[in-house]
Amino acid sequence: MIHISKNTISQMEKVERLNLINSCTGYKSANLIATKSESGESNVAIFSSITHLGSDPALLGFIMRPTTVPRDTYKNIKETGFFTVNHITDNMIADAHHTSANYDFGISEFDKTNLEEEYKKEIDFPFVKGSPVQLLCKYLNEYHIQENNTIHIVASIEHLFYDPILEHEKGWLQLDKVNVVSLNGLDGYCLPKLIDRFEYARKDTSTKSFF
């Protein structure tokens, strides 16, 4: 095993450190967050930090990098209180990754990629067309993480849309059916594949596979 200490990590060149630390914690979600400003300008950006926080009520969270520079996603969420989360499939990864480019404040990534806005009845916030799972979320709270000056956004899931092919008979969504991707590090896109399912784990009882 290669051993790298905290002291060695701190002395690494920036990109080398970013690549190592962003990948060593494992696979991450890959999602597009779409927003709209009060004046009607849309925005879309890729995030790898969206996590499940609870199912009753249905909550999720994500990390926003320091707002020492303008960030359209954060600005729009604070203005309107809503945003959408959109899963990324293997045929979307080049455009999804391009949304991480540092465009000037106010320029929509929808205009700089092949990603298209999609609107649902009575919802005035953009989803990403073609995404097989789409969530409309409402901003609830934010928590400042003082150790690195980031912000943890907490939101409720207000509406959920998904491709019916994903729905398993047990009620969960089998994402590999439509090639939903995950991230390995900053820029490595991967295709997870379901390999097994297990019954609810009980102490002193052998784990039983559904397969």
Side-chain angles (χ1 to χ4, degrees):
M1 298 288 284
I2 295 174
H3 171 221
I4 300 177
S5 68
K6 179 180 179 180
N7 183 58
T8 302
I9 292 171
S10 68
Q11 295 180 42
M12 284 180 170
E13 185 270 330
K14 179 181 179 181
V15 174
E16 181 184 15
R17 184 174 61 249
L18 282 171
N19 285 334
L20 178 63
I21 301 305
N22 272 277
S23 60
C24 72
T25 54
Y27 294 108
K28 298 177 290 185
S29 62
N31 300 103
L32 290 164
I33 291 183
T35 59
K36 180 180 280 190
S37 67
E38 280 187 324
S39 58
E41 298 167 323
S42 59
N43 179 75
V44 63
I46 190 168
F47 281 78
S48 63
S49 61
I50 295 177
T51 54
H52 162 84
L53 295 181
S55 57
D56 188 17
L59 300 176
L60 58 75
F62 70 95
I63 299 297
M64 178 70 62
R65 288 182 293 172
T67 55
T68 50
V69 297
R71 300 202 182 278
D72 285 356
T73 298
Y74 182 71
K75 171 183 172 291
N76 293 349
I77 291 174
K78 293 292 284 186
E79 283 182 359
T80 67
F82 290 91
F83 61 94
T84 70
V85 173
N86 305 267
H87 285 22
I88 300 168
T89 57
D90 59 343
N91 61 354
M92 299 165 61
I93 57 177
D95 287 311
H97 188 74
H98 192 77
T99 65
S100 63
N102 188 25
Y103 284 107
D104 291 339
F105 192 61
I107 294 179
S108 173
E109 292 79 6
F110 280 115
D111 295 332
K112 297 297 182 176
T113 67
N114 292 315
L115 299 173
E116 297 181 42
E117 299 176 55
E118 179 183 10
Y119 288 89
K120 313 288 188 182
K121 185 177 181 180
E122 299 181 354
I123 297 177
D124 193 31
F125 296 93
F127 296 87
V128 177
K129 187 176 181 179
S131 174
V133 181
Q134 304 166 325
L135 314 173
L136 176 69
C137 300
K138 180 180 180 180
Y139 169 94
L140 296 180
N141 212 336
E142 64 183 60
Y143 300 88
H144 177 242
I145 300 176
Q146 61 182 9
E147 287 78 8
N148 63 354
N149 199 32
T150 55
I151 299 170
H152 188 202
I153 304 290
V154 176
S156 61
I157 299 174
E158 301 290 310
H159 295 278
L160 165 61
F161 304 89
Y162 59 87
D163 187 327
I165 196 175
L166 297 175
E167 190 170 43
H168 191 274
E169 61 182 9
K170 298 291 186 181
W172 56 285
L173 302 183
Q174 188 174 336
L175 302 180
D176 65 339
K177 286 185 174 181
V178 292
N179 290 345
V180 170
V181 300
S182 63
L183 271 165
N184 181 193
L186 290 169
D187 50 20
Y189 292 83
C190 306
L191 272 178
K193 182 175 178 60
L194 180 69
I195 58 175
D196 210 337
R197 289 188 63 242
F198 295 93
E199 294 181 349
Y200 183 82
R202 294 176 174 81
K203 62 181 181 180
D204 300 324
T205 302
S206 298
T207 301
K208 294 181 179 179
S209 170
F210 281 117
F211 287 8

